[in-house]
Amino acid sequence: MLNKVFFLLYISENFRHVLKTYLEPVRLYHALGVVCVIYVGMLLTRLMQRRKTLKAAFEQFPGPPGHWLLGNTNEFQQDGTDLEKIITFGENYPYAFPLPFYHRQDDIAYRFLTAWIGEGLLVSAGQRWFRHRRLLTPGFHYDILKPYVKIMSDSAKIMLDKWETYAKTQESFELFQHVSLMTLDSIMKCAFSCESNCQTESGTNKYIKAVYDLCDLVNLRFRVFLYHIDFIFHLSPHGYMYRRACRIAHKHTGEVIRKRKEVLTKEKEQNLSQKKRNLDFLDILLCARDEQQQGLSDEDIRAEVDTFMFEGHDTTASGLAWILYALACNPEHQQKCRVEIQQALEGKDSIEWEDLSKIPYTTMCIKESLRLYPPVPGMARKLTKPMTFFDGRTVPEGCIVGTSVYGIHRNATVWENPNVFDPLRFLPENTAKRSPHAFVPFSAGPRFAST
């Protein structure tokens, strides 16, 4: 009898062990599965409700047909025709039209950049943006900018010396990389008084390589649909490369800020003036104070430095490259610019601040190139309140409203023969006839030049 009791106890213990080992985890997995299904169901329900609300609101805005799930995502294939499609859509659906995309609502708000450039002027909003803008405005005063002309001229000479070598070979070459290195060199010198030698040693400078890698990876992530999902991108090889490049960029920025702080502290202790060197953007950041005599935090300063590096070289290089392209395509205007600049130089080998007012035709050619090929072809904002058009149609709060700068600049109702390169459009008498918002290569309003 006692043996039977022990046997039953043994069976019972083994049975409990089996339950604990095999069935309890199964129940846990089932519970997790149910929770996941419920969560996904709630998300889908919210998504469908949102889409239903937007569909009703957008019935008054006819637009190009799209996929039931992906919207118009597949319309844009990065094949060189995307901007022209916007022009066509604008002709078929004047003023405004919906373009549904499958993405998170904040994608267009530079979400992919924040790990690198932080909450700087480009991506910040509200009171934070207003405070930073107010503190940084003195850095763009004419008296601060004047000494930069010679620095930029010296950087351009380095680039031209490299081009002389290419010219002797009688072979064509891609100039954008050279222009980009030149603008990056200029930014490093003007904003941070840093001699990077990036135009001649770009392959050996880890920071310069990190900046280029980050620009390429942000662009890649924006174009690859699956990379819009954070955990997929972070687990990918490109996500690893992005984090590594961020670490290199942040380490370099932190070191530059630390060294400049030491210099400023030493100058203050020894009562030295800054006349021996030009006041640069980093000086402005470190010395800026608001009404309460509060400055920017170290994190804020790093964010603005990284933002300036990104915004300052990439779009500028793009604009310059397209200006050179536009002039090459229109040699008669290029020759007029050459003659005008030679007359302004009066035998000098570099241009000075006072010479900039002596080249009006060249200035008009630059503006016309920026009209045809704006460095930032579009911008977007998330509505914080409903927006009503002049014809009574209303876009609801929470929508992303995009403005096509490229479309505005080539709008036939605004510009006569919009695809023709005609610098005389920017004669003062012609400019006076147009809306001030007909030409917006650097945005407009309070966020001018920092879209």
Side-chain angles (χ1 to χ4, degrees):
M1 183 68 178
L2 190 60
N3 288 336
K4 290 183 178 180
V5 172
F6 278 119
F7 179 72
L8 290 173
L9 288 173
Y10 175 76
I11 294 295
S12 177
E13 287 296 324
N14 275 277
F15 185 68
R16 279 199 293 268
H17 175 72
V18 170
L19 286 176
K20 186 175 182 180
T21 304
Y22 297 104
L23 295 184
E24 286 188 11
V26 171
R27 290 174 184 170
L28 179 61
Y29 294 146
H30 283 174
L32 289 174
V34 170
V35 170
C36 289
V37 169
I38 293 173
Y39 179 71
V40 172
M42 291 173 61
L43 288 179
L44 289 175
T45 300
R46 288 176 58 188
L47 177 63
M48 295 307 294
Q49 288 176 343
R50 174 68 175 167
R51 292 191 65 158
K52 186 177 180 181
T53 301
L54 292 178
K55 184 177 180 181
F58 288 149
E59 283 182 352
Q60 54 188 325
F61 292 94
H67 188 271
W68 68 273
L69 176 62
L70 301 179
N72 296 99
T73 303
N74 292 331
E75 292 275 359
F76 301 94
Q77 300 294 327
Q78 296 286 326
D79 58 358
T81 65
D82 291 351
L83 293 176
E84 296 304 323
K85 288 177 182 176
I86 295 295
I87 299 290
T88 302
F89 291 158
E91 292 172 349
N92 295 334
Y93 312 101
Y95 303 118
F97 53 87
L99 278 181
F101 287 92
Y102 183 79
H103 56 62
R104 283 178 49 172
Q105 283 291 303
D106 56 353
D107 277 356
I108 300 180
Y110 312 105
R111 181 169 63 92
F112 302 153
L113 282 168
T114 52
W116 171 22
I117 66 174
E119 294 287 330
L121 276 180
L122 181 64
V123 301
S124 59
Q127 290 303 312
R128 178 187 178 89
W129 180 87
F130 279 106
R131 179 174 182 267
H132 283 217
R133 177 76 183 206
R134 188 170 63 254
L135 291 175
L136 268 58
T137 297
F140 300 96
H141 191 276
Y142 284 153
D143 291 337
I144 301 294
L145 299 177
K146 283 181 180 179
Y148 295 171
V149 175
K150 183 181 185 310
I151 296 174
M152 294 177 184
S153 179
D154 291 341
S155 294
K157 285 180 182 178
I158 296 173
M159 180 183 70
L160 293 175
D161 288 342
K162 293 164 64 179
W163 287 5
E164 285 288 347
T165 304
Y166 283 99
K168 293 175 183 177
T169 66
Q170 299 294 316
E171 295 180 1
S172 61
F173 64 96
E174 174 54 58
L175 60 79
F176 177 77
Q177 182 73 7
H178 295 267
V179 176
S180 181
L181 284 172
M182 186 271 292
T183 58
L184 193 56
D185 189 25
S186 299
I187 286 290
M188 295 284 281
K189 292 174 181 175
C190 296
F192 315 118
S193 303
C194 178
E195 293 286 346
S196 66
N197 299 318
C198 64
Q199 295 199 72
T200 54
E201 302 174 7
S202 60
T204 59
N205 190 310
K206 290 184 179 180
Y207 175 68
I208 301 302
K209 185 178 185 305
V211 170
Y212 279 112
D213 287 345
L214 287 166
C215 291
D216 291 340
L217 289 167
V218 168
N219 183 51
L220 174 69
R221 188 178 182 189
F222 188 81
R223 291 187 288 109
V224 177
F225 170 72
L226 286 177
Y227 280 177
H228 287 206
I229 303 170
D230 288 338
F231 82 90
I232 292 180
F233 179 71
H234 292 323
L235 292 175
S236 71
H238 292 115
Y240 171 76
M241 292 168 59
Y242 181 79
R243 293 191 297 276
R244 183 180 62 183
C246 276
R247 286 194 296 270
I248 294 172
H250 291 164
K251 181 180 178 181
H252 178 272
T253 303
E255 189 67 11
V256 170
I257 294 171
R258 183 187 64 79
K259 289 182 179 179
R260 180 59 57 82
K261 278 186 172 182
E262 292 177 355
V263 170
L264 292 176
T265 301
K266 185 177 179 180
E267 288 177 346
K268 186 175 181 181
E269 290 174 350
Q270 298 181 2
N271 198 25
L272 298 175
S273 68
Q274 293 177 333
K275 292 182 179 180
K276 292 183 179 180
R277 61 181 177 84
N278 296 320
L279 190 69
D280 61 26
F281 181 68
L282 187 52
D283 289 324
I284 298 294
L285 287 173
L286 291 169
C287 299
R289 295 292 182 271
D290 59 19
E291 295 81 358
Q292 287 76 39
Q293 293 304 304
Q294 296 296 314
L296 296 169
S297 67
D298 288 349
E299 183 180 351
D300 289 340
I301 292 172
R302 194 193 76 181
E304 297 301 350
V305 168
D306 289 333
T307 296
F308 206 71
M309 285 300 301
F310 168 67
E311 281 196 284
H313 95 272
D314 191 61
T315 53
T316 307
S318 177
L320 287 171
W322 281 110
I323 288 168
L324 295 173
Y325 170 81
L327 289 175
C329 292
N330 298 274
E332 69 279 13
H333 297 293
Q334 180 175 253
Q335 180 59 25
K336 289 181 181 180
C337 290
R338 181 180 290 111
V339 171
E340 182 182 63
I341 292 172
Q342 288 174 342
Q343 291 175 348
L345 287 174
E346 297 178 340
K348 296 179 296 186
D349 63 349
S350 62
I351 202 162
E352 298 175 357
W353 177 272
E354 292 73 18
D355 299 324
L356 297 178
S357 61
K358 302 175 184 177
I359 50 173
Y361 194 83
T362 303
T363 301
M364 290 192 294
C365 286
I366 291 172
K367 289 182 177 181
E368 178 67 349
S369 176
L370 291 173
R371 181 188 72 83
L372 286 169
Y373 311 106
V376 181
M379 62 196 91
R381 294 287 179 266
K382 186 175 183 178
L383 293 182
T384 57
K385 59 182 180 181
M387 184 180 76
T388 301
F389 285 81
F390 69 95
D391 57 5
R393 296 183 296 175
T394 299
V395 180
E397 175 186 344
C399 291
I400 300 290
V401 175
T403 301
S404 174
V405 176
Y406 186 84
I408 292 173
H409 287 182
R410 293 183 180 242
N411 190 326
T413 63
V414 180
W415 304 90
E416 185 178 353
N417 299 319
N419 296 320
V420 175
F421 186 87
D422 180 11
L424 298 183
R425 301 177 195 274
F426 291 95
L427 284 169
E429 57 269 29
N430 293 332
T431 301
K433 300 174 185 177
R434 292 191 298 268
S435 163
H437 293 137
F439 179 64
V440 285
F442 304 111
S443 186
R447 295 190 77 114
F448 173 76
S450 63
T451 56

